[in-house]
Amino acid sequence: MALRTSILAEGDSWFAYPSEAILFGRGTSNVLDTLWRKHKSSLMILNKAKNGDEARFMFNSDGIADLVTTQKEMPFKVWLLSAGGNDIVGDADMPQYLLPRAGAASGVACLDTARFQQGLDAIIARYRDLLEAVKTLPRRKIPLIIAHTYDYPFPDPKGAIFLSGLVKINGGKSWIYPHMANKGIVEEIDQQAIIRRMLELFRDALNTLAAGYPGLFFVAQTQGLLTNRHAHWVNEIHPSDQGCDIIADVLWETIQRALGR
């Protein structure tokens, strides 16, 4: 029997989001659960992900120390990361990246590119801190590290709502739409142009980082896959079961590539 690939997962709600059906013992919760369901005979996963977590906290000195200590005690072959999304769309972050729609030449011109680049640089710096810490491990304990690039969400007022509206997280408020509406950015084409540009810059930054850590850091290219807002998304920023299935397949392919299979 082939050995299972051991995975240490750290991340946000893409790895930790609960399913509406979880109270009844069924239903896919998130991308990581989907990956496990599809390949459980080949994987062992320890999941440290938390809803709402941000790269700035996952990969601060305490977060990195925790991951490195875990790796020393029980070496994992692969680390899967889902980090950076909440650093972009968080309540303390997204408002500062948006300019008022009034007077802007286009929707995408409402993105304060200079300020967003500062925030993006901070995210990548946290990733780099993690990679440099991992490089100090004994060679036989250094894992392959895989991140992903999220996908282009559809800004929408619908947030985390469960059981047909009986349970609403944060009052059912969404993450992106309210901040855009507050800046007068209400046209769907403008909203999508802005979030797409933000995530493209995030993707490009991750890919540039990966080029500097060959054989250590890999990026699953997950953008441009969840194109159906109704079939692929359960709410504004979380994939549906079908969406999770699509992303999980790309993660699996990236794991195999990193392992040289």
Side-chain angles (χ1 to χ4, degrees):
M1 182 176 178
L3 292 176
R4 297 189 199 183
T5 299
S6 57
I7 293 179
L8 176 61
E10 176 62 289
D12 50 29
S13 55
W14 272 46
F15 284 0
Y17 194 74
S19 167
E20 177 151 357
I22 202 164
L23 293 176
F24 306 101
R26 64 182 188 274
T28 296
S29 301
N30 51 63
V31 171
L32 196 66
D33 284 354
T34 305
L35 181 68
W36 165 250
R37 174 179 57 79
K38 299 184 76 169
H39 303 286
K40 58 186 175 182
S41 64
S42 302
L43 300 175
M44 294 188 303
I45 301 176
L46 174 61
N47 187 8
K48 287 179 170 283
K50 299 185 293 292
N51 290 311
D53 210 353
E54 301 181 20
R56 77 185 83 189
F57 303 127
M58 294 182 218
F59 309 145
N60 64 15
S61 57
D62 290 339
I64 291 174
D66 177 68
L67 290 169
V68 168
T69 298
T70 300
Q71 185 69 12
K72 287 178 179 178
E73 295 174 349
M74 185 171 53
F76 290 82
K77 186 65 176 178
V78 173
W79 286 8
L80 275 184
L81 308 178
S82 181
N86 288 320
D87 301 73
I88 294 173
V89 305
D91 285 343
D93 303 290
M94 186 151 231
Q96 67 176 322
Y97 300 143
L98 299 175
L99 300 170
R101 182 64 180 92
S106 65
V108 76
C110 297
L111 175 62
D112 188 334
T113 304
R115 180 165 285 186
F116 180 68
Q117 189 62 54
Q118 291 176 349
L120 185 56
D121 289 345
I123 296 170
I124 298 303
R126 299 289 74 75
Y127 268 96
R128 186 175 291 106
D129 289 344
L130 177 70
L131 295 171
E132 289 298 321
V134 166
K135 286 172 60 179
T136 68
L137 288 165
R139 180 172 294 275
R140 64 186 177 84
K141 293 190 175 184
I142 294 179
L144 301 167
I145 301 177
I146 299 171
H148 69 83
T149 59
Y150 300 93
D151 204 352
Y152 311 126
F154 295 86
D156 190 289
K158 181 183 177 182
I161 298 174
F162 298 89
L163 301 177
S164 300
L166 293 177
V167 178
K168 297 181 180 181
I169 307 302
N170 196 24
K173 181 175 75 73
S174 58
W175 299 265
I176 300 171
Y177 184 92
H179 299 306
M180 290 189 170
N182 285 342
K183 299 283 186 172
I185 307 167
V186 294
E187 296 296 329
E188 185 174 296
I189 190 171
D190 292 339
Q191 295 173 346
Q192 291 181 2
I194 294 167
I195 197 66
R196 186 182 187 94
R197 182 59 180 154
M198 295 172 102
L199 286 173
E200 286 173 344
L201 290 169
F202 173 72
R203 175 200 65 203
D204 292 347
L206 277 185
N207 288 334
T208 298
L209 182 66
Y213 293 87
L216 173 63
F217 186 47
F218 302 82
V219 181
Q221 306 298 325
T222 55
Q223 291 183 7
L225 303 177
L226 307 185
T227 56
N228 188 317
R229 71 182 304 165
H230 302 294
H232 294 160
W233 298 89
V234 68
N235 57 39
E236 189 184 50
I237 64 171
H238 297 105
S240 65
D241 284 4
Q242 185 176 339
C244 286
D245 196 75
I246 293 169
I247 300 298
D249 283 348
V250 177
L251 288 183
W252 177 251
E253 291 166 4
T254 307
I255 291 169
Q256 300 309 299
R257 175 168 59 87
L259 292 170
R261 295 175 181 171

